Amino acid sequence: MDQKMFSLEGKVALVTGGAYGIGFAIAEALAGAGAKIAFNCRSQENLDRAMEDYQAKGIEAHGYICDVTHEEDVNALVAAIERDLGVIDILVNNAGIIKRIPMTEMSAEDFRQVVDIDLIGPFICAKAVIPGMIKKGHGKIINICSMMSELGRETVSAYAAAKGGLKMLTRNICAEYGGANIQCNGIGPGYIATPQTAPLRERQSDGSRHPFDQFIISKTPAARWGVPEDLMGPAVFLASDASNFVNGHVLYVDGGILAYIGKQP
Ligand code: NAP
Ligand code: GCO
């Protein structure tokens, strides 16, 4: 088997929300496989810190301020990346937020904001890069889905609705553009230790683990939280020629949670 199928040499990758967390780890992995990296976030402070972090890893990343929900800004972002690095070969729709509010207490505005960023944003970004991919004759789109693309839980109605929709958007991009040699797949991380899940892992006042932390440990066969590094290999696989016949699939990287009923209390 030719190992070059996992190479991303000469490819241009955009990782949305790549300033830290899962996006940063995925960008690091794609860079390690040879890709040129572009990322965006919403604040100059986070961008500046991220540029230092990428430099510390020896990665020449190109950072841009852009909110994925603003279509004109996303189109300008794609044009800037094409000018600076070349036509985008790989899009990782990673940028996302969560609001943990009981549904009956959640405002429609809060619900809309989560769906706007977690579902409409990936639509806007995919719509912006697909024409260039069609011209090039190939493309890879990786949507960062979630356990909540499959399961619900209390307080995350907007997030689950958005991530469930993102799973179906992934399948629809496959259906609509697979004929243009564009592969659109999802990665469904389990519970990953990042700033987004920090509230679920906070130590209690008596020093004990957060109840949710203990719950996830009991629900995960691997008996641990994931770390962003656990997503690096799956991302390189789905961004590379090694996955050219994989399309419309969501690859769950969850330590086995989805396969496990959970440990008897
Ligand atoms: P995170 O630590 O909160 O990072 C989110 C990133 O998205 C940040 O870089 C943030 O940067 C950026 N972002 C947020 N809204 C944006 C917008 N409107 N436009 C552009 N950038 C935006 O989250 P994470 O844990 O790394 O999660 C990354 C992705 O994985 C999300 O889609 C999340 O839903 C998904 N996920 C996470 C887990 C987990 O357990 N952590 C599991 C499954 C799926 P700025 O705030 O500076 O813009
Ligand atoms: C939550 C968590 C999850 C994770 C992830 C699981 O509050 O349940 O934040 O939603 O972020 O999406 O795959």
Side-chain angles (χ1 to χ4, degrees):
M1 180 184 79
D2 185 350
Q3 291 295 327
K4 285 184 183 164
M5 69 168 67
F6 292 96
S7 169
L8 302 179
E9 286 297 338
K11 303 288 189 183
V12 176
L14 167 59
V15 180
T16 68
Y20 51 86
I22 287 171
F24 184 90
I26 288 178
E28 181 183 353
L30 302 184
K36 290 182 276 187
I37 299 300
F39 74 96
N40 68 295
C41 58
R42 291 169 297 182
S43 76
Q44 190 63 48
E45 180 187 0
N46 285 341
L47 186 137
D48 293 343
R49 189 182 309 119
M51 290 301 286
E52 291 174 8
D53 294 340
Y54 279 112
Q55 193 172 26
K57 296 271 188 181
I59 297 169
E60 185 192 339
H62 294 250
Y64 304 82
I65 300 293
C66 178
D67 185 320
V68 296
T69 64
H70 300 162
E71 188 162 17
E72 284 184 15
D73 293 353
V74 169
N75 291 335
L77 167 68
V78 170
I81 294 168
E82 289 185 355
R83 182 190 64 239
D84 297 344
L85 295 172
V87 173
I88 293 167
D89 300 284
I90 302 158
L91 168 66
V92 181
N93 273 316
N94 167 78
I97 67 165
I98 192 167
K99 289 180 183 283
R100 300 183 182 95
I101 306 168
M103 196 181 98
T104 54
E105 298 167 27
M106 183 179 238
S107 69
E109 185 47 43
D110 274 337
F111 194 99
R112 281 193 195 94
Q113 188 187 11
V114 174
V115 172
D116 207 12
I117 294 172
D118 293 8
L119 179 57
I120 309 296
F123 158 76
I124 289 172
C125 293
K127 180 182 165 191
V129 303
I130 283 172
M133 291 177 172
I134 290 174
K135 284 182 190 147
K136 281 192 102 167
H138 65 257
K140 296 283 187 178
I141 298 173
I142 302 171
N143 293 324
I144 306 301
C145 297
S146 161
M147 304 289 297
M148 276 59 215
S149 296
E150 302 294 341
L151 302 171
R153 89 172 183 85
E154 298 80 0
T155 76
V156 295
S157 59
Y159 184 81
K163 293 296 189 180
L166 187 56
K167 175 176 74 173
M168 287 315 300
L169 178 63
T170 299
R171 291 180 176 167
N172 216 78
I173 293 171
C174 157
E176 200 161 0
Y177 297 101
N181 194 27
I182 292 171
Q183 290 83 47
C184 180
N185 292 287
I187 289 178
Y191 281 82
I192 312 295
T194 71
Q196 191 244 50
T197 55
L200 305 174
R201 291 178 282 107
E202 280 171 0
R203 284 284 172 180
Q204 306 299 282
S205 53
D206 64 2
S208 63
R209 300 181 83 141
H210 190 293
F212 196 88
D213 181 357
Q214 299 176 54
F215 168 66
I216 289 303
I217 299 294
S218 73
K219 279 287 287 181
T220 309
R224 68 171 176 88
W225 282 73
V227 291
E229 290 71 21
D230 288 320
L231 301 164
M232 295 171 91
V236 170
F237 166 65
L238 289 177
S240 71
D241 289 342
S243 62
N244 282 350
F245 204 54
V246 179
N247 213 345
H249 180 75
V250 179
L251 176 57
Y252 285 96
V253 185
D254 65 354
I257 293 181
L258 276 178
Y260 184 38
I261 195 169
K263 197 182 297 300
Q264 181 181 343

